[in-house]
Amino acid sequence: MRVYKYLMSRISQEGAIHLTLIDPDKVNPEEGAEIALAAERAGTAAIMVGGSIGVTEAKLDKLIVEMKRRVKIPIILFPGNITGLSRYADAVWFMSLLNSTSTYYLIEAQALGAPIVKKYGIEPIPMGYIVIEPGEAVGFIGRARPIPIKHPEIAAIYALAAQYLGMKFVYLERGSGAPGPLPPEFVEKVANMVDIPVIVGGGIKEGTVAKNLTKAGAKCIVTGTIVEEVEDVEVKIKEIVKGIREGALERMQNVQR
Ligand code: 1GP
């Protein structure tokens, strides 16, 4: 419960947090550790490590060992499959792709992964994962039936089901590298339906976008691709973290009114 409690306490203190996603297939361990360090300095709350393609345990191990030497914030696995587990991580999003048409991504991969999580002593954090169109690589690989962007009410009922199933977070995923982020109204509809924190990711590149999504109710904003594109990771993540802080502040002021 250590990482779960840490995330919840930062969310309750700050209103919303930023998580930096690093794809082990796209960086070498040194680059990954550099990005993690810059992200930590910029105020990201935790590092997520994972991807849909090309992830091996050996690659993950090397990357996470290097990161652990450099940063203090938790490293949370974001597995696309059972190869996405490493004994060196602090926690794992123990997630089910709720709108997958495949029982593998709903529960079979989780069953295969569960004894490994137990053996390695990684903290599982239960999370419902919902893919919204276009869904990008994860939508295709995960055999999702992506939720139409016009129908946030469908995402909202999946999110509520996740909460009733006991999941501690729900993740609205537009897909890594999506051409644009989720609209704030979409996030608002889901956030108004559930009591568990809503994580939002996919296509977020600007502080103003992070601000509007946070204001709409997101409690965690995930960015991945942007750190692979910019020269100064620290400056970019600072911009996004600043946006999240402003959005959280405005949301909390609206609640008090
Ligand atoms: C992917 O939501 C995350 O799972 C992050 O997406 O790479 O587009 O930032 P980006």
Side-chain angles (χ1 to χ4, degrees):
M1 293 289 274
R2 201 177 62 84
V3 178
Y4 173 69
K5 282 190 183 149
Y6 160 82
L7 294 174
M8 293 307 280
S9 107
R10 281 200 61 167
I11 290 169
S12 93
Q13 279 163 27
E14 297 164 39
I17 56 173
H18 178 254
L19 305 172
T20 296
L21 172 66
I22 297 177
D23 186 337
D25 195 40
K26 297 201 178 134
V27 292
N28 65 40
E30 291 69 35
E31 288 163 352
E34 276 298 313
I35 293 171
L37 187 62
E40 182 180 60
R41 286 196 184 125
T44 206
I47 305 292
M48 285 168 49
V49 184
S52 300
I53 299 164
V55 179
T56 65
E57 187 165 341
K59 228 183 239 182
L60 272 176
D61 284 352
K62 282 195 195 126
L63 173 61
I64 295 173
V65 166
E66 195 56 36
M67 281 178 182
K68 296 292 292 177
R69 285 186 343 114
R70 310 285 296 276
V71 301
K72 290 200 175 63
I73 50 175
I75 312 286
I76 308 174
L77 297 166
F78 183 49
N81 211 324
I82 55 163
T83 53
L85 298 172
S86 163
R87 69 183 73 225
Y88 301 107
D90 299 295
V92 55
W93 288 121
F94 204 83
M95 53 201 275
S96 173
L97 204 176
L98 299 177
N99 56 324
S100 177
T101 56
S102 154
T103 52
Y104 181 78
Y105 291 99
L106 279 168
I107 188 60
E108 288 162 19
Q110 294 77 356
L112 293 168
I116 305 172
V117 169
K118 188 176 170 82
K119 188 169 154 204
Y120 289 174
I122 320 163
E123 175 185 334
I125 307 177
M127 182 256 274
Y129 192 52
I130 302 171
V131 173
I132 296 113
E133 67 180 13
E136 302 294 322
V138 73
F140 182 83
I141 303 274
R143 293 186 213 167
R145 204 152 51 97
I147 293 178
I149 200 75
K150 273 181 9 201
H151 289 292
E153 75 281 8
I154 300 179
I157 59 176
Y158 272 75
L160 187 61
Q163 177 183 322
Y164 289 169
L165 283 165
M167 290 163 172
K168 302 291 188 207
F169 286 82
V170 66
Y171 192 135
L172 301 180
E173 175 66 271
R174 192 120 213 235
S176 185
L182 279 176
E185 309 73 53
F186 192 104
V187 171
E188 192 172 15
K189 191 104 183 176
V190 178
N192 285 343
M193 184 69 119
V194 294
D195 303 315
I196 53 175
V198 177
I199 307 170
V200 178
I204 302 168
K205 298 189 174 186
E206 309 292 337
T208 48
V209 170
K211 177 180 172 178
N212 290 334
L213 292 169
T214 304
K215 205 175 154 186
K219 298 285 172 62
C220 307
I221 296 286
V222 181
T223 61
T225 304
I226 194 68
V227 295
E228 295 156 19
E229 291 177 349
V230 295
E231 245 167 56
D232 196 329
V233 173
E234 193 172 331
V235 166
K236 190 66 195 177
I237 295 186
K238 268 191 184 149
E239 175 200 316
I240 291 173
V241 168
K242 183 168 171 273
I244 293 171
R245 296 212 167 121
E246 289 170 1
L249 206 62
E250 287 186 24
R251 167 163 39 81
M252 292 189 287
Q253 281 165 351
N254 284 346
V255 170
Q256 279 161 11
R257 250 179 232 145

